[in-house]
Amino acid sequence: MKLYYAKDSCALAPHIALEEANAHYSAIAVDLAAGQQRSSDYLKINSKGRVPSLITDQGVLTETPAILNYIARLHPAATLIPIGDPYSLALADSFNSYLCSTVHVAHAHGARGERWVNDESTFAAMKAKVPETMTASFELIQSELFRGPWVLGSQYSVCDAYLFTICRWLAWDNVNLSDFPRIATHFETMSARPAVQRVMLLHA
Amino acid sequence: MKLYYAKDSCALAPHIALEEANAHYSAIAVDLAAGQQRSSDYLKINSKGRVPSLITDQGVLTETPAILNYIARLHPAATLIPIGDPYSLALADSFNSYLCSTVHVAHAHGARGERWVNDESTFAAMKAKVPETMTASFELIQSELFRGPWVLGSQYSVCDAYLFTICRWLAWDNVNLSDFPRIATHFETMSARPAVQRVMLLHA
């Protein structure tokens, strides 16, 4: 498998999952600042012009929650999702879906306003609300969604890699991770995992 | 199971899935126009203040893609997701993830601007781009994601219910479904399914 990733993007989550799974893969950096995601070569791989893209021998996969589940299913020994327990699996899906459709989207209003408006004079108003929306999201995550010590409770999962990934964005969003002590502890624990440390050599 | 739904919301997708699965469930309407989703009673069920919410005997589930997968897994005879084929399952996850994080979000900028900005003077600029973002999304769906005759090819799945649900929003978005003939045909085929017709009695 080949993972196309970019530093500081949500591709960090599947990158960590691949390491945790001891998967056979290579990682190829895409330079977002240079606009490489909109190059004709990259658009042939992923016409959405985004990362991550996972190249499999059956075809390309896009969308972080789908890639995370796929990596987990291909490496069942790593138990990265609660296969076999429909309700726990649904909680994992629900967590990842909330991160991609609400939390990532809230964050993206800080620097990607052109996705939703053409009038650049509105970008500042979008950016201004990011601390509020990200704070509300992390309050919900800490108080209701995060079971501890891992997102799903006693079992480490791809949800942990995805949460860790988004926690790294909070400083840009003018939100203090330390305001969410249970999540801050999770972030420290994640940072100490060997798989995370190996991946961070490429993402730091 | 109990499904909390609202007319014209994405809760239509799991509602159709429950009917297709011949599930034992009841459906409870939430009146979004009256703000019932923010009532204290409803927030006890789903503190996100959104629909759908699915009440199971193990707890509440939120987020449409997670609820769709859960309904499919609990009713394997209905074959609503390609269980057992990791790559096909990932394509289903990827499609649903794209709908929730990109297409639903694009649509929501037309009437839910307060989610991302406090300055109401920017709402018009957000609404103005909706036809463009929804058109781009449906071009991608028609040309690349939709295999036909169903989203995943020959096998009907929860993806079809979710796509049908979002197609119903295009008129509000000032986009003509007829500009996407393959998707328009899918919409007609969906509209003729008995399960869809039974559900539409409550959603029309």
Side-chain angles (χ1 to χ4, degrees):
Chain A
M1 292 191 288
K2 279 188 205 172
L3 177 73
Y4 286 85
Y5 76 98
K7 283 167 64 167
D8 302 327
S9 81
C10 59
L12 176 59
H15 206 163
I16 292 171
L18 286 164
E19 273 301 303
E20 299 278 11
N22 279 312
H24 295 285
Y25 76 100
S26 56
I28 299 153
V30 177
D31 187 340
L32 298 187
Q36 214 176 342
Q37 74 277 22
R38 290 184 296 271
S39 68
S40 61
D41 280 354
Y42 189 72
L43 291 174
K44 279 178 213 152
I45 295 163
N46 178 354
S47 65
K48 293 171 183 168
R50 303 272 182 95
V51 290
S53 303
L54 186 72
I55 316 300
T56 79
D57 51 15
Q58 292 179 276
V60 180
L61 284 177
T62 61
E63 304 293 333
T64 296
I67 292 173
L68 290 173
N69 277 347
Y70 181 74
I71 293 167
R73 283 199 186 92
L74 247 57
H75 304 89
T79 60
L80 292 174
I81 51 174
I83 294 170
D85 176 352
Y87 184 73
S88 297
L89 201 47
L91 288 181
D93 277 345
S94 180
F95 187 82
N96 292 339
S97 191
Y98 180 67
L99 292 194
C100 83
S101 66
T102 295
V103 191
H104 188 153
V105 168
H107 165 77
H109 280 74
R112 302 286 185 196
E114 76 280 359
R115 289 182 186 165
W116 302 288
V117 287
N118 291 324
D119 177 358
E120 293 185 16
S121 71
T122 66
F123 290 177
M126 287 179 152
K127 191 175 167 63
K129 196 176 167 89
V130 172
E132 181 184 332
T133 53
M134 291 300 280
T135 295
S137 295
F138 271 77
E139 282 172 352
L140 181 79
I141 290 169
Q142 175 168 274
S143 65
E144 296 194 32
L145 308 183
F146 181 86
R147 293 182 164 191
W150 306 113
V151 170
L152 299 179
S154 57
Q155 177 61 53
Y156 179 83
S157 73
V158 293
C159 301
D160 296 294
Y162 202 2
L163 176 60
F164 173 78
T165 294
I166 292 189
C167 283
R168 293 184 71 242
W169 300 345
L170 290 179
W172 289 292
D173 297 335
N174 285 315
V175 174
N176 292 318
L177 178 58
S178 59
D179 291 345
F180 308 96
R182 296 178 70 215
I183 311 303
T185 299
H186 176 266
F187 186 82
E188 283 173 36
T189 311
M190 282 296 295
S191 302
R193 287 178 78 87
V196 173
Q197 293 186 340
R198 289 195 297 276
V199 171
M200 289 309 297
L201 294 174
L202 292 170
H203 284 260
Chain B
M1 294 191 285
K2 280 189 206 174
L3 177 73
Y4 285 84
Y5 76 98
K7 280 166 66 165
D8 302 326
S9 81
C10 59
L12 175 59
H15 206 161
I16 291 171
L18 287 164
E19 272 304 301
E20 298 278 11
N22 279 312
H24 295 285
Y25 75 100
S26 55
I28 299 153
V30 178
D31 187 341
L32 299 186
Q36 213 175 342
Q37 74 277 25
R38 291 184 294 271
S39 68
S40 61
D41 280 353
Y42 189 72
L43 291 173
K44 278 179 214 154
I45 295 164
N46 178 353
S47 66
K48 293 171 182 168
R50 303 272 182 96
V51 290
S53 302
L54 186 72
I55 315 302
T56 80
D57 50 16
Q58 291 180 277
V60 180
L61 283 178
T62 61
E63 304 294 333
T64 297
I67 292 173
L68 289 174
N69 278 347
Y70 181 75
I71 293 167
R73 283 201 185 90
L74 247 57
H75 304 88
T79 60
L80 292 174
I81 53 173
I83 294 170
D85 176 351
Y87 184 73
S88 296
L89 201 47
L91 288 181
D93 278 345
S94 180
F95 187 82
N96 292 339
S97 191
Y98 180 67
L99 293 193
C100 82
S101 66
T102 296
V103 192
H104 188 153
V105 168
H107 166 77
H109 280 73
R112 302 286 185 196
E114 75 281 359
R115 289 182 185 166
W116 302 288
V117 287
N118 291 324
D119 177 359
E120 292 186 17
S121 71
T122 66
F123 290 178
M126 288 179 150
K127 189 175 169 64
K129 197 176 167 89
V130 172
E132 181 185 332
T133 53
M134 291 300 280
T135 295
S137 294
F138 271 76
E139 281 172 353
L140 181 79
I141 290 169
Q142 175 167 273
S143 65
E144 296 194 32
L145 308 183
F146 181 85
R147 294 182 162 190
W150 305 113
V151 170
L152 298 179
S154 58
Q155 178 61 53
Y156 179 82
S157 73
V158 293
C159 301
D160 296 293
Y162 202 3
L163 176 60
F164 173 78
T165 295
I166 292 189
C167 283
R168 293 185 71 242
W169 299 344
L170 290 180
W172 289 292
D173 298 335
N174 285 316
V175 174
N176 293 319
L177 178 59
S178 58
D179 291 345
F180 308 96
R182 295 178 71 215
I183 311 303
T185 299
H186 176 266
F187 187 83
E188 282 173 37
T189 312
M190 283 295 294
S191 301
R193 288 179 77 87
V196 173
Q197 292 187 341
R198 288 195 297 275
V199 171
M200 289 309 297
L201 294 174
L202 292 170
H203 283 260

